[in-house]
Amino acid sequence: MTNGIIWKLIIVVGVLVVTLTIAGGLIWVERRLLALWQDRYGPNRVGPFGLLQVLADMVKVMTKEDWLPPFADKAVFIIAPAIIVLTVLAAFAVIPFAPGVEVVELNISLLFFLAMSSLGVYSVAFAGWASDSKYSLLGGLRAAAQMLSYEVFMGLSLMGVVMMAGSFNLVKIVETQREMWYCIPQCIGFVVFLIAGVAETRRLPFDLPEAESELVAGFHSEYSGMKFGMFFVGEYLGITLVSALTVTLFFGGWLGPVLPPLVWFTIKTFIMIAFFVLLRASLPRPRYDQLMAYGWKVLLPFSLLNIVVTGGILLAAAN
Amino acid sequence: MATIYIDNKPYVVKDGQNLLHACLSLGFDLPYFCWHPAMHSVGACRQCAVKQFRDEKDTKGKIVMSCMTPAAEGTRISIDDPEAMEFRASVIEWLMLSHPHDCPVCDEGGECHLQDMTVMTGHNYRRTRFPKRTHRNQDLGPFINHEMNRCIQCYRCVRFYCDYAQGRDFNVFACHHAVYFGRHRDGVLESEFSGNLIEICPTGVFTDKALKRHYTRKWDLQTAPSVCVHCGLGCNTIPGERYGALRRILNRYNGEVNGYFLCDRGRFGYEFVNSGQRVRTPLMKNNETGALEPATKGDVIERLSHILYFGANVIGIGSARASLEANFALRALVGPDRFFVFDETRRRLMATMIGILKSGPARTPSMKDVASSDAVFILGEDVANTAPMLALALRQAARQRPMQDVAKLKIPLWDDTAVREVIQGEKGPFFIAAPHATKLDDVATETYHAAGEDIARLGFAVAHELDPAAPPVPDLKEEALLLARRIALFLKGARRPLVVSGMSGTSDSLLRAAGNVAWALCKTGHDAALCFTTDECNSLGLGLLADLGDGYVSDIGKAFALAEKGKLDAIIILENDLFLREDISRVERFLEGCGHVIVIDHLFSRTTGKADIVLPAGTFAESDGTFVNNEGRAQRCFQVFVPEGDIQESWRWVRDALNAARRPIQWRTFDDVVAAMAGEMQQFEAVAEIAPPAGFRIAGQKIPRQPHRYSGRTAMHAQIDVHEPKPPDDADTPLAYSMEGFEGIPPSALVPRFWAPGWNSVQSVNKFQEEVGGPLRGDDPGKRLIEPTGGKEVPYFHEVPGAFVPRKGELLIVPLYHIFGSEELSVLSPGIAGMAPHPYLALNPFDAEGLGMNAGDEGEVVISGNTYRLPITLMASLPQGVAGLPSGLPGLRGIVFPAWAKTGRAT
Amino acid sequence: MFSILRTLWAVFLHAFRKRVTVLYPEVKPHIPPRWRGRIILSRDPDGEERCVACYLCAVACPVDCISLQAAEDEYGRRYPEFFRINFSRCIFCGFCEEACPTYAIQLTTDFEMGEYVRQNLVYEKEHLLISGEGKYPGYNFYRAAGLSIKGKGKGEALNEEPPVDVKDLMP
């Protein structure tokens, strides 16, 4: 029993350390990758390969003046960046990194993830509202609408996987992929989930809540110092989370030959993250109405179709 | 009103104008050179060409000079006609044939009318390959720099200097393309208005030699509307500052006061602001050594607090060169009964003057009114030296009567050549009665040189001739009586007669005589004006301030008496050198008898040498203030720049003293003082309305003191600290120490400089006027505080003085005024100091002969115990028994005029 | 949808291209001669200061980082008493060079002006004045100007007639 608790504690601490480090490291990874795809070098001056750039950035962001706008709604303004980091970190609790390497094994872990990612909306909505500035408010509004909408397709797109696995338990879902990764039978669900994932994390090309060319920096225009840093870290944590979940749901999680399960999981996750960066490097931002129309008019029918077809086939197979 | 058509659009213009005047008033950009609103048209430069059409069917038209064409009903012209535009561009190209490649090193650059007009016409490339004609320059004295190569032969300088200001040592020489504008040989320009050549010349032939020593372009000057402090006329000026020093004074147009011109004392006298004589830190007397030592503001306030809180017997002495607000503040500090102003003579003169202006029907004229008077009678005043700009206005007045004949010939008054052809040398009635020959004698019909009493008697006699109800003069000499009759005859025949007198005659019977003449004219149905000159920029304001209720004015003499009665604890002297006001030994005794002497001033003087505490005050350029000129017009002068260190406005020092005396006063800003003054003193009610208050904004913006092209903002302080300082705030006025703010035309009292798009030169004033040459938009600034009584009842003065009787063995010493030298502040400017005469004693040749002396001999004169040894100058116009001594020159200060003195050869 | 995938692929292929970044300071870039770098004040062919303190550079400067004061020698030649450029404000736009009527102020190819102390970026005349003519050899403003200076009287400039004798009335 005590051993169990200690083991869990080690995992909790491990997950926290690893995910936060990765989130920080991702800043460097993203800049280097973007540079690679744009025929540049990216940060390469601070430390070997510019690795210490992240450290320098952290020192900078922590020593910067943490300015509270006098016109802001102070309490909400302070809470908002904390919410995003908290919800994303909480969602990591249910990710099975390898057999037995997970914080909790819930039989509704997928629903837990969906719940946590829904809570993330509050962060950006609060931030936009509490800043009491027009750009922030517009950013917050966009974020709320965008995230709530894509929440729907994200959930629906996963139903195919759930039906095929017959469980909301992520461990079970991984286990059922020994034969075949769900990205093949659930290709529609996979694509929809990927797109919704990008929208949920407000990453390019769906970064309309920030849209620096129109809204300065959107919902976090008024943020500076470590509060801004929290949003930043929150965004990278989000990428990691969605990548990890994609791997878990569609690419067989830790499953793989020869190498240990944790390594497989890490490799797959990193490939997903790199794909996210590639998206950012390649695609332009759509207009806001295009984004919403695309969600409701394309993704929704497709995910519904996916459920119907998957359900039909499963029923047929069961019969 | 006439309707004219410009490019087929109808416009309504005033009858009788010329087209150029009308077009400029309507806001069109039409280039011109030789035309000037004060000097009108001669059609010399051919630059203002437009195309005139017979009627709407005429498409061919003909090119005419708009300045020489009347704007008659139905006139059709085109400014944008291609042929007219080409014509104008060609004219500029011809004018520029020999113009040197000088703009970068030319002081006119950036405010050059020629540059503006060249850009306006579109000429931009020199096509001619022929060599340029060149000229040698002349040394024209300390004020004017001459660079003849740049001349475009517009003749404006000659027209101003010879025709308008009637100077005689400047003209045009040579012929054809080599005409030369200058003197017959190198030498100082004699006219006291020579400085206006700088603004008159459309290019850089005549530039400011004083500015050249610390040259700054117009776009780099921080400017604010200001008022000249060098005499009582209150001409409007634009002082410009750069790098903490005052760089120049430019004329600020005020249709009622100085118009387009300034005198050389006003234009070049500003350098006292930059002088080494300035008090720049608070000073306190070291109790051990007895020397004045720099102290911090805190220490000084602490000492003041001690003195004023425990001292029961504190008096204050006001100043005629300090603003109304500073004087009012001091009066509030010490109490009205302990506030003293003027010396005994000036107090008497001022009381008489204000009495005459307030109790009679004669109106004080503005300088514009003076210039349009058609008969002038001057009593005992050397106007050219005591109030120079008034002399310029009087010179125009001498032309008014002949001009009435011109009008009868149906010659438009703007056709200057024709007008002068008709007038020739003719002059209107102009009588000068003065103790000696004056510079205005050349325009005078008749002059009368006599002692002050005799001049007053002549005045009384003239009044009696005009109106038998006025008192007669007993025992008047035949000669004077006949003159009086002639004067009376001419004055009667005039439409707008003018009587001029003033303080420099040092005699109140002169003022009374002038009053009687003006009143007699008013009573007999003339629109007569009465102009008194005052000696300092705020003399009349101080007179009004001190003149409370029963007309009680305490002068310094009363303060002396008070000091003799009981020891005074402290005396606060505001911007005043007492040694200039009263007899030196009396002042010396007085100051030694006072417990503490506190002096608020901006210059070191003999008085500050006697002080226990000296507080550094701001000059006119470093403080806001209201000054009342001789007309009774209260005008606002705005701070131009923030001085370094502890220098602050006099009223702020007084306020600090009040707070130190634990009588806290809620004066935070200048407006608070003005409001307190306007509330307490009925005569100053209008002062608050002279200029908009500090809260005034246009489109939410203040009015910038710096032009929008102001340069060097991020570099001018960089050698001290690379981080730029915050620009100073200005809580006192609607002006800002910034280049940001409202760019358009502000209310007339707040115009910090004249500039309009495409018009960088002073000619841009056209855009600020309701009609070119007329009042500024929103009326000329300033409010008159004195208006005459409406009734016909005149309280004639009956105290006719006796005739002057020369004494045996003694001469009556009268002051001789010098435009350069007699004024306390301007004489600290190097240029003016160089022009000031050396001290001398002027004698009538007969008196000199009687004393056995010749010109150049060293004479000795003893005035109230002080002996002065001076070279003798012979002055034939001085009456016998009267001698003249230059007033106010360093070395001749503290003499109370007039004085009887023993004179003889120096032993 | 296909175009998006094609874009992704095309961008991905860039991973194998050569990088265009020049690794300054290890590799020095080529600086064209008309580069707008550190500002200098040049001298005329006679070795005198070219600057005549006309203030045109100061007024042309969009960030107002030039300040100077004109002075004049005893023969009437203008020069700046002080001339200061605050390079911490300068944006190297070159307007001052364009405004300069005497080719005095010039922008050079030197751009390596970094300082740890901002105050060191304030350059006075002694830091700005070079001993040569810079980019525009041969020009001397005073040879063309009508103003007389030491060694050049009235009528001795380019394309000028000797001074007029005012007393001569011949046509």
Side-chain angles (χ1 to χ4, degrees):
Chain A
M1 185 63 202
T2 343
N3 272 354
I5 290 170
I6 290 171
W7 176 237
K8 286 286 176 205
L9 273 179
I10 289 172
I11 291 174
V12 167
V13 174
V15 166
L16 274 180
V17 170
V18 170
T19 49
L20 286 172
T21 315
I22 285 175
L26 272 185
I27 299 171
W28 176 82
V29 170
E30 176 166 38
R31 289 178 64 186
R32 291 290 292 197
L33 279 176
L34 280 176
L36 179 70
W37 286 317
Q38 291 167 356
D39 301 343
R40 299 183 286 116
Y41 284 98
N44 65 345
R45 295 277 148 181
V46 193
F49 305 106
L51 268 171
L52 298 182
Q53 184 70 45
V54 179
L55 217 65
D57 284 350
M58 267 165 66
V59 172
K60 184 188 81 172
V61 98
M62 288 194 177
T63 50
K64 269 199 167 183
E65 184 191 1
D66 198 353
W67 187 65
L68 255 182
F71 45 82
D73 185 341
K74 304 231 163 35
V76 182
F77 188 82
I78 294 167
I79 288 168
I83 292 177
I84 190 141
V85 177
L86 272 179
T87 53
V88 177
L89 279 177
F92 269 108
V94 295
I95 304 288
F97 300 96
V101 188
E102 61 182 330
V103 181
V104 281
E105 193 188 331
L106 287 175
N107 53 4
I108 50 148
S109 42
L110 194 55
L111 288 182
F112 180 80
F113 157 76
L114 288 174
M116 282 301 130
S117 84
S118 307
L119 281 179
V121 173
Y122 288 102
S123 169
V124 282
F126 281 173
W129 174 255
S131 294
D132 196 9
S133 103
K134 51 179 174 272
Y135 295 122
S136 301
L137 185 64
L138 280 171
L141 272 174
R142 283 184 179 187
Q146 170 181 338
M147 289 172 77
L148 285 176
S149 308
Y150 278 79
E151 194 80 44
V152 175
F153 328 129
M154 189 184 233
L156 288 176
S157 68
L158 293 181
M159 288 310 112
V161 175
V162 173
M163 279 188 265
M164 285 185 77
S167 169
F168 279 109
N169 187 328
L170 288 172
V171 181
K172 284 245 176 65
I173 292 174
V174 175
E175 293 291 350
T176 51
Q177 293 185 68
R178 283 197 187 277
E179 303 297 316
M180 193 201 292
W181 291 351
Y182 285 144
C183 61
I184 296 162
Q186 281 299 316
C187 57
I188 296 178
F190 166 60
V191 170
V192 173
F193 177 77
L194 205 64
I195 294 169
V198 174
E200 276 294 294
T201 46
R202 303 173 308 282
R203 285 281 302 176
L204 270 129
F206 295 150
D207 67 336
L208 286 119
E210 285 177 43
E212 55 278 90
S213 50
E214 323 154 30
L215 297 183
V216 188
F219 61 90
H220 59 61
S221 294
E222 305 294 336
Y223 281 87
S224 63
M226 204 47 219
K227 292 204 196 67
F228 168 75
M230 297 271 260
F231 278 119
F232 214 62
V233 169
E235 181 179 331
Y236 284 100
L237 280 176
I239 301 168
T240 321
L241 178 66
V242 172
S243 303
L245 209 73
T246 316
V247 168
T248 312
L249 293 170
F250 297 101
F251 292 95
W254 66 77
L255 298 174
V258 188
L259 295 172
L262 198 59
V263 176
W264 270 117
F265 187 85
T266 314
I267 290 172
K268 289 176 183 171
T269 310
F270 264 100
I271 291 172
M272 273 317 294
I273 290 172
F275 181 71
F276 269 91
V277 177
L278 182 60
L279 280 180
R280 174 175 177 182
S282 328
L283 300 179
R285 184 188 300 137
R287 245 179 16 235
Y288 190 65
D289 61 316
Q290 288 172 336
L291 174 83
M292 296 308 276
Y294 186 66
W296 290 104
K297 291 183 186 164
V298 180
L299 296 187
L300 182 67
F302 267 107
S303 45
L304 287 175
L305 188 72
N306 184 39
I307 293 172
V308 172
V309 171
T310 312
I313 293 172
L314 281 179
L315 271 177
N319 290 342
Chain B
M1 289 292 157
T3 308
I4 62 169
Y5 297 86
I6 302 172
D7 289 311
N8 288 323
K9 284 203 192 99
Y11 296 92
V12 177
V13 299
K14 251 193 199 168
D15 272 329
Q17 284 182 336
N18 60 62
L19 282 173
L20 177 61
H21 194 146
C23 289
L24 291 171
S25 295
L26 288 170
F28 287 97
D29 284 344
L30 190 54
Y32 64 88
F33 286 113
C34 67
W35 180 81
H36 188 282
M39 302 185 302
H40 310 301
S41 316
V42 286
C45 71
R46 319 312 282 172
Q47 187 58 64
C48 60
V50 293
K51 203 169 225 184
Q52 188 177 15
F53 301 96
R54 262 197 317 279
D55 47 44
E56 57 264 54
K57 281 175 212 135
D58 181 6
T59 50
K60 209 163 165 217
K62 59 173 180 179
I63 285 190
V64 297
M65 293 310 125
S66 62
C67 72
M68 299 302 285
T69 313
E73 178 66 37
T75 308
R76 304 187 80 89
I77 56 164
S78 169
I79 295 174
D80 296 339
D81 182 83
E83 208 180 343
M85 285 171 77
E86 198 191 325
F87 184 94
R88 296 196 294 260
S90 311
V91 170
I92 277 269
E93 190 170 1
W94 295 325
L95 291 177
M96 297 281 280
L97 282 187
S98 287
H99 197 73
H101 185 64
D102 261 4
C103 293
V105 288
C106 174
D107 289 354
E108 195 82 357
E111 49 182 322
C112 178
H113 190 54
L114 179 59
Q115 278 178 345
D116 289 348
M117 296 301 106
T118 310
V119 173
M120 195 178 285
T121 52
H123 168 62
N124 55 15
Y125 197 80
R126 184 181 147 89
R127 286 187 294 177
T128 172
R129 289 169 291 114
F130 295 99
K132 298 174 177 179
R133 65 105 182 87
T134 60
H135 281 293
R136 293 193 196 285
N137 302 330
Q138 289 181 328
D139 181 0
L140 298 178
F143 301 141
I144 307 289
N145 188 62
H146 193 215
E147 186 63 47
M148 212 17 235
N149 277 359
R150 298 170 187 156
C151 184
I152 56 162
Q153 297 91 32
C154 72
Y155 282 70
R156 264 188 175 193
C157 51
V158 183
R159 291 179 59 224
F160 171 75
Y161 199 95
C162 301
D163 296 349
Y164 194 87
Q166 294 159 5
R168 278 179 293 184
D169 61 324
F170 178 94
N171 220 313
V172 54
F173 301 92
C175 60
H176 54 86
H177 81 303
V179 288
Y180 187 90
F181 298 88
R183 298 183 86 248
H184 66 297
R185 70 161 85 94
D186 284 23
V188 181
L189 286 170
E190 283 165 13
S191 170
E192 56 275 26
F193 308 107
S194 65
N196 293 306
L197 292 176
I198 298 165
E199 290 185 47
I200 285 288
C201 179
T203 178
V205 178
F206 301 100
T207 51
D208 189 333
K209 210 181 238 180
L211 172 67
K212 201 174 151 88
R213 285 198 299 274
H214 41 228
Y215 184 64
T216 308
R217 296 251 180 240
K218 181 181 181 182
W219 63 64
D220 279 344
L221 287 170
Q222 175 164 280
T223 51
S226 192
V227 173
C228 181
V229 293
H230 300 296
C231 81
L233 295 176
C235 296
N236 289 198
T237 59
I238 303 177
E241 174 266 359
R242 178 79 173 168
Y243 302 139
L246 206 57
R247 297 301 172 108
R248 74 155 170 204
I249 298 271
L250 221 54
N251 168 63
R252 177 163 65 98
Y253 180 86
N254 182 329
E256 288 293 328
V257 185
N258 49 317
Y260 289 92
F261 307 112
L262 284 183
C263 73
D264 288 359
R265 181 157 89 191
R267 188 182 295 273
F268 301 107
Y270 63 90
E271 282 181 276
F272 75 92
V273 175
N274 308 333
S275 91
Q277 294 262 45
R278 283 293 302 279
V279 185
R280 297 203 176 266
T281 55
L283 300 163
M284 277 203 301
K285 189 173 265 180
N286 186 318
N287 286 335
E288 284 153 30
T289 60
L292 279 174
E293 286 173 2
T296 64
K297 191 175 167 186
D299 290 348
V300 171
I301 297 289
E302 200 184 317
R303 174 91 71 97
L304 267 181
S305 155
H306 194 77
I307 295 170
L308 298 176
Y309 188 62
F310 296 106
N313 213 352
V314 180
I315 66 162
I317 293 180
S319 164
R321 64 172 158 89
S323 65
L324 275 184
E325 290 75 13
N327 280 302
F328 171 75
L330 182 61
R331 182 177 163 279
L333 172 65
V334 295
D337 54 332
R338 296 178 165 273
F339 180 61
F340 301 90
V341 291
F342 297 120
D343 50 79
E344 283 171 53
T345 319
R346 280 191 181 73
R347 195 270 302 158
R348 211 179 57 239
L349 293 171
M350 190 50 73
T352 313
M353 198 183 277
I354 294 176
I356 293 171
L357 295 178
K358 278 191 169 169
S359 57
R363 187 173 192 272
T364 59
S366 68
M367 270 202 274
K368 185 180 155 200
D369 301 333
V370 169
S372 57
S373 305
D374 56 355
V376 179
F377 181 27
I378 300 175
L379 282 136
E381 188 73 17
D382 180 4
V383 181
N385 282 310
T386 57
M389 279 301 291
L390 187 64
L392 189 62
L394 287 170
R395 283 182 184 278
Q396 309 319 309
R399 292 182 68 218
Q400 292 309 310
R401 171 60 73 78
M403 291 275 262
Q404 290 164 6
D405 300 336
V406 173
K408 276 180 214 149
L409 293 171
K410 300 228 165 81
I411 293 171
L413 292 183
W414 47 259
D415 191 350
D416 200 49
T417 329
V419 168
R420 284 186 193 279
E421 206 62 40
V422 174
I423 293 179
Q424 297 289 342
E426 209 184 315
K427 290 171 195 121
F430 200 108
F431 299 92
I432 302 176
H436 53 84
T438 67
K439 263 197 137 176
L440 275 176
D441 286 0
D442 58 326
V443 289
T445 328
E446 275 190 82
T447 57
Y448 178 69
H449 298 143
E453 287 92 332
D454 290 337
I455 298 171
R457 283 164 68 83
L458 175 73
F460 279 107
V462 171
H464 180 69
E465 292 297 329
L466 287 165
D467 175 16
V473 181
D475 316 323
L476 192 66
K477 277 189 199 143
E478 177 75 18
E479 176 206 1
L481 184 68
L482 290 175
L483 177 61
R485 286 198 179 133
R486 285 198 297 276
I487 295 173
L489 194 68
F490 276 115
L491 289 180
K492 258 189 219 166
R495 289 179 202 166
R496 308 185 61 183
L498 170 72
V499 183
V500 180
S501 187
M503 286 174 91
S504 70
T506 64
S507 148
D508 39 350
S509 48
L510 269 178
L511 301 178
R512 292 198 189 104
N516 269 12
V517 176
W519 288 346
L521 283 165
C522 288
K523 198 178 166 196
T524 50
H526 291 84
D527 181 13
L530 176 58
C531 181
F532 288 130
T533 65
T534 52
D535 59 340
E536 284 183 277
C537 55
N538 203 16
S539 295
L540 198 60
L542 191 61
L544 290 172
L545 182 99
D547 184 8
L548 266 175
D550 55 355
Y552 178 77
V553 188
S554 311
D555 56 54
I556 304 177
K558 298 254 169 42
F560 290 178
L562 205 65
E564 272 161 32
K565 260 190 263 166
K567 199 170 163 68
L568 293 171
D569 289 321
I571 165 171
I572 304 174
I573 301 170
L574 174 72
E575 301 189 30
N576 220 331
D577 182 4
L578 295 187
F579 289 95
L580 288 182
R581 311 288 159 202
E582 277 289 357
D583 185 68
I584 294 167
S585 42
R586 280 184 80 188
V587 177
E588 197 109 15
R589 266 203 314 279
F590 168 63
L591 290 180
E592 265 153 30
C594 291
H596 297 276
V597 178
I598 300 152
V599 180
I600 306 173
D601 205 345
H602 43 78
L603 293 170
F604 283 111
S605 62
R606 220 167 142 176
T607 310
T608 60
K610 298 274 170 196
D612 299 283
I613 294 178
V614 181
L615 302 171
T619 59
F620 75 98
E622 296 145 347
S623 24
D624 306 299
T626 308
F627 296 95
V628 184
N629 75 354
N630 70 321
E631 183 200 345
R633 180 181 289 267
Q635 302 187 102
R636 185 67 47 78
C637 157
F638 288 94
Q639 188 167 359
V640 180
F641 66 105
V642 179
E644 277 180 18
D646 288 330
I647 296 175
Q648 61 179 359
E649 295 98 319
S650 297
W651 70 261
R652 283 211 151 86
W653 280 119
V654 176
R655 184 218 32 205
D656 291 349
L658 269 164
N659 288 329
R662 282 170 239 179
R663 283 157 53 196
I665 191 134
Q666 298 302 320
W667 294 342
R668 211 178 51 77
T669 66
F670 179 76
D671 285 343
D672 297 338
V673 191
V674 172
M677 183 168 71
E680 191 173 319
M681 304 175 114
Q682 197 209 332
Q683 66 268 46
F684 295 132
E685 258 176 359
V687 168
E689 295 150 26
I690 302 171
F696 176 81
R697 298 286 184 277
I698 305 176
Q701 291 175 302
K702 282 192 149 204
I703 292 138
R705 280 184 173 87
Q706 297 163 359
H708 65 290
R709 288 174 183 155
Y710 195 76
S711 79
R713 185 176 45 86
T714 63
M716 57 203 293
H717 304 290
Q719 86 281 20
I720 305 160
D721 185 4
V722 72
H723 306 277
E724 289 99 40
K726 177 178 180 286
D729 284 324
D730 188 355
D732 293 331
T733 72
L735 300 166
Y737 299 103
S738 166
M739 55 200 285
E740 290 168 11
F742 178 69
E743 278 300 333
I745 295 177
S748 60
L750 296 176
V751 175
R753 78 193 71 79
F754 294 116
W755 182 89
W759 296 77
N760 297 296
S761 74
V762 286
Q763 315 286 332
S764 53
V765 66
N766 292 345
K767 305 273 180 194
F768 287 73
Q769 294 163 331
E770 271 170 15
E771 178 208 332
V772 172
L776 290 171
R777 285 174 197 274
D779 214 359
D780 288 316
K783 290 254 184 258
R784 283 171 61 96
L785 301 183
I786 301 179
E787 290 299 342
T789 56
K792 284 268 171 198
E793 279 307 300
V794 289
Y796 282 124
F797 292 106
H798 293 273
E799 309 93 326
V800 181
F804 171 71
V805 185
R807 290 190 196 170
K808 277 228 164 71
E810 277 189 324
L811 290 172
L812 181 70
I813 309 289
V814 297
L816 299 178
Y817 295 90
H818 289 274
I819 173 169
F820 306 122
S822 290
E823 198 264 331
E824 178 191 357
L825 302 174
S826 60
V827 82
L828 289 171
S829 291
I832 302 243
M835 297 279 282
H838 293 290
Y840 63 90
L841 179 68
L843 294 178
N844 179 295
F846 293 105
D847 286 334
E849 205 184 321
L851 292 166
M853 288 194 287
N854 284 317
D857 288 356
E858 192 169 53
E860 194 177 75
V861 57
V862 185
I863 304 169
S864 62
N866 298 308
T867 309
Y868 301 89
R869 285 160 164 252
L870 302 161
I872 302 292
T873 304
L874 296 184
M875 201 184 236
S877 60
L878 272 176
Q880 267 183 287
V882 176
L885 209 54
S887 160
L889 288 190
L892 290 180
R893 290 173 169 177
I895 299 171
V896 179
F897 292 110
W900 287 99
K902 280 205 168 60
T903 310
R905 185 179 284 277
T907 50
Chain C
M1 189 70 195
F2 175 69
S3 78
I4 287 173
L5 290 175
R6 200 176 53 187
T7 309
L8 285 173
W9 180 243
V11 172
F12 178 73
L13 284 182
H14 271 266
F16 310 105
R17 293 264 187 94
K18 192 175 172 293
R19 307 191 182 196
V20 293
T21 312
V22 177
L23 283 173
Y24 175 87
E26 290 86 0
V27 183
K28 297 286 183 195
H30 166 71
I31 303 291
R34 293 204 298 189
W35 180 269
R36 299 195 306 260
R38 180 167 58 89
I39 298 169
I40 54 105
L41 288 174
S42 61
R43 289 178 187 273
D44 65 22
D46 303 332
E48 301 282 341
E49 276 177 53
R50 260 183 182 154
C51 176
V52 298
C54 69
Y55 294 97
L56 286 179
C57 50
V59 74
C61 182
V63 290
D64 290 343
C65 75
I66 303 177
S67 93
L68 67 151
Q69 174 60 53
E72 204 174 89
D73 73 6
E74 56 196 302
Y75 302 100
R77 186 186 173 110
R78 290 280 177 98
Y79 66 94
E81 193 180 312
F82 72 83
F83 195 107
R84 186 183 307 128
I85 300 182
N86 180 356
F87 278 109
S88 77
R89 288 289 188 194
C90 180
I91 56 169
F92 300 95
C93 62
F95 283 10
C96 49
E97 184 173 7
E98 277 191 43
C100 183
T102 67
Y103 292 139
I105 197 165
Q106 298 179 8
L107 277 78
T108 64
T109 52
D110 177 16
F111 59 90
E112 294 173 314
M113 301 175 68
E115 293 279 356
Y116 283 102
V117 181
R118 216 179 129 194
Q119 190 67 46
N120 293 347
L121 286 166
V122 177
Y123 283 38
E124 297 289 342
K125 190 164 109 180
E126 67 255 35
H127 309 124
L128 297 165
L129 196 61
I130 63 164
S131 52
E133 298 170 57
K135 287 184 272 186
Y136 309 101
Y139 184 72
N140 185 337
F141 169 75
Y142 281 106
R143 281 188 204 148
L147 209 69
S148 61
I149 52 159
K150 188 185 183 183
K152 192 205 85 174
K154 283 284 167 196
E156 291 170 19
L158 281 174
N159 208 19
E160 276 189 349
E161 281 171 357
V164 166
D165 178 4
V166 176
K167 303 212 164 105
D168 180 24
L169 287 178
M170 293 301 284

